[in-house]
Amino acid sequence: MGLNNVCFLPADRNVHPVLNSRMALEIGVKFNSVLTAKINNIIGDNRREFMAGKIVVIGGGIAGISAKLRNRKSKLVDENPFMVMAPRIIDILRGKSIDFAKINRNLDYTGKVTGVDLDEKTVNINGKNIAYEKLVIATGHSQKYDFINGSKYIHGFSGLDDALYLRNQLVSRKKIVIIGGGYLGVELAGAMQNASITILEAGNRILAGLPLKFSDYATQLLEKNGVNIELGNPVDEVKKDCVVSGTKKFDSDITLFAGGFTGNLPEMKQELKTKNARIVVNSFLQSVDYPDVYAAGDSMLVDNGGFIPMSAIIARSSGITAMENAMGGTKPFVPNNFANIIRVGDQYFGTIGNIFVHGSMARIIKEAAVALSINHAREV
């Protein structure tokens, strides 16, 4: 099935509310078929039934779940009995119940990983050591902004607690400055209403890691909503009531950090080569220091692999590849982020393959991808 079979509606066509769920299901089924075929093509579909001993997977997000589903004999560990669907955190900010972003899934061990001994090959969970022969680390991301002068006045945005905090604060605090004009900064700016919002971006355009059309389209939508976009404005200092950039000062009741993510690795007894709290891996997603350790999703940084934008597709395919190779495979990871949809308020746009889509089509593709991730979580 080619991509053209998926995009059979014009991007700007209005979808009648009664037909929306039926159309979403039809397009979702087609999109998910393409997604599965694409990932199988990336990683190969040679289903290995052997494995080199006990494999432990730390992290029950999309990458970890995908690894677990590839090898159900592996042991999945996470401290939360539920998975947070990252695309839905924005919905919590906009008023949805927190349960809307929580997806229950089964774990082999529920508990906090308090340490990993890479030499003894054990993972400590709630004070108990669990032995492994191969380890897959897929512990997601975190934010780091303590390098900014005045960081104590900055609020992060990466989880449910952050969404609830900001939602409550917006009742009375109306001047918002967002540091960073990437994915998160753009979606945050689009989600907040009845507020004066400024995006401070150090570069010369927002969504700088994506094609220019993304930047232009997002700028158009945001400015139409009254968002002030300040380009070429790196942050020098954050104060309680303002953000300083060069000679400019931007008044702020709340300053949010959206300047990128780092890894979120568990504590390890031995030193492992990392960069930005991500494990440096070779093309097989294998640690360059410890060959029995693999990483996927936000926990990996492919050595000499160039920039790899994180997405659900990348998380899923890297989780599968990491498990394949932990089981004895030798399949290089080839990133292919062939579907990329961004949300600004109630507007959706992006690409599937080389096709730019927006409106109802983009929204349905986004929701189909989220539904696929939810289904996988429930299959564990």
Side-chain angles (χ1 to χ4, degrees):
M1 180 184 297
L3 292 176
N4 288 334
N5 296 115
V6 180
C7 299
F8 58 86
L9 288 177
D12 57 352
R13 177 175 174 178
N14 292 322
V15 180
H16 192 281
V18 176
L19 300 179
N20 187 58
S21 60
R22 184 184 305 166
M23 294 173 64
L25 176 62
E26 183 176 353
I27 296 176
V29 169
K30 290 177 178 288
F31 175 73
N32 290 344
S33 297
V34 172
L35 179 60
T36 300
K38 281 281 185 181
I39 291 176
N40 284 340
N41 182 58
I42 294 167
I43 68 170
D45 202 17
N46 52 327
R47 298 296 183 184
R48 299 180 185 278
E49 299 304 328
F50 62 90
M51 68 178 194
K54 183 177 180 180
I55 302 177
V56 172
V57 181
I58 305 177
I62 293 175
I65 284 172
S66 300
K68 170 68 177 181
L69 288 175
R70 176 59 193 90
N71 175 11
R72 290 187 176 273
K73 293 181 180 180
S74 63
K75 303 300 180 182
L76 182 62
V77 183
D78 199 284
E79 62 180 305
N80 292 314
F82 57 86
M83 179 181 77
V84 175
M85 283 301 303
R88 289 186 170 182
I89 295 176
I90 289 290
D91 293 290
I92 309 308
L93 171 61
R94 301 186 75 194
K96 287 272 192 180
S97 165
I98 195 171
D99 292 332
F100 184 66
K102 291 182 177 180
I103 309 299
N104 291 325
R105 39 97 169 97
N106 294 319
L107 299 168
D108 297 289
Y109 298 102
T110 302
K112 185 174 178 60
V113 174
T114 55
V116 178
D117 191 321
L118 300 172
D119 290 337
E120 294 296 325
K121 299 173 75 169
T122 59
V123 176
N124 190 281
I125 307 166
N126 293 338
K128 181 181 179 180
N129 283 329
I130 306 298
Y132 68 83
E133 293 188 41
K134 298 291 179 67
L135 181 66
V136 178
I137 299 177
T139 44
H141 63 253
S142 62
Q143 288 184 311
K144 183 177 176 62
Y145 45 82
D146 57 4
F147 60 91
I148 299 176
N149 189 18
S151 61
K152 66 180 181 180
Y153 298 116
I154 300 175
H155 299 277
F157 192 92
S158 63
L160 297 178
D161 290 342
D162 297 322
L164 289 174
Y165 169 83
L166 182 56
R167 187 170 83 186
N168 292 332
Q169 292 298 311
L170 286 172
V171 173
S172 58
R173 304 170 76 178
K174 299 300 185 181
K175 294 180 181 178
I176 314 298
V177 172
I178 301 173
I179 300 173
Y183 277 83
L184 178 59
V186 167
E187 295 207 346
L188 264 177
M192 292 182 284
Q193 299 176 340
N194 301 319
S196 173
I197 302 168
T198 296
I199 294 177
L200 295 184
E201 168 56 45
N204 60 7
R205 65 182 176 99
I206 59 174
L207 299 176
L210 297 172
L212 182 59
K213 184 155 189 173
F214 279 76
S215 304
D216 291 342
Y217 200 85
T219 297
Q220 177 185 341
L221 291 176
L222 290 170
E223 290 184 342
K224 184 177 179 180
N225 290 341
V227 175
N228 177 34
I229 302 173
E230 295 283 343
L231 302 176
N233 281 277
V235 172
D236 294 315
E237 183 180 5
V238 178
K239 298 182 179 182
K240 185 177 181 179
D241 58 356
C242 69
V243 180
V244 179
S245 175
T247 59
K248 298 179 181 178
K249 185 176 73 171
F250 301 91
D251 292 340
S252 178
D253 295 325
I254 304 176
T255 301
L256 300 172
F257 181 77
F261 294 103
T262 63
N264 185 37
L265 299 178
E267 184 177 342
M268 301 184 194
K269 187 174 181 179
Q270 293 79 20
E271 186 174 342
L272 192 67
K273 185 176 181 180
T274 62
K275 185 175 182 181
N276 293 330
R278 291 185 166 100
I279 298 172
V280 178
V281 295
N282 59 22
S283 62
F284 306 110
L285 305 189
Q286 184 179 40
S287 165
V288 296
D289 294 326
Y290 285 83
D292 293 327
V293 176
Y294 296 77
D298 286 308
S299 294
M300 70 178 187
L301 191 149
V302 181
D303 197 22
N304 298 320
F307 174 70
I308 300 176
M310 284 297 112
S311 68
I313 294 172
I314 296 295
R316 184 183 175 205
S317 59
S318 64
I320 297 171
T321 299
M323 181 58 74
E324 278 280 331
N325 292 334
M327 294 166 67
T330 55
K331 185 73 176 180
F333 176 65
V334 180
N336 188 339
N337 200 27
F338 64 92
N340 201 342
I341 305 296
I342 293 177
R343 176 182 179 182
V344 176
D346 293 321
Q347 302 296 315
Y348 294 73
F349 66 94
T351 54
I352 178 166
N354 294 320
I355 303 169
F356 188 85
V357 293
H358 62 94
S360 301
M361 170 59 64
R363 178 171 187 160
I364 290 171
I365 292 171
K366 180 78 168 182
E367 292 178 350
V370 170
L372 178 64
S373 297
I374 292 173
N375 288 338
H376 283 158
R378 290 172 175 164
E379 289 174 5
V380 174

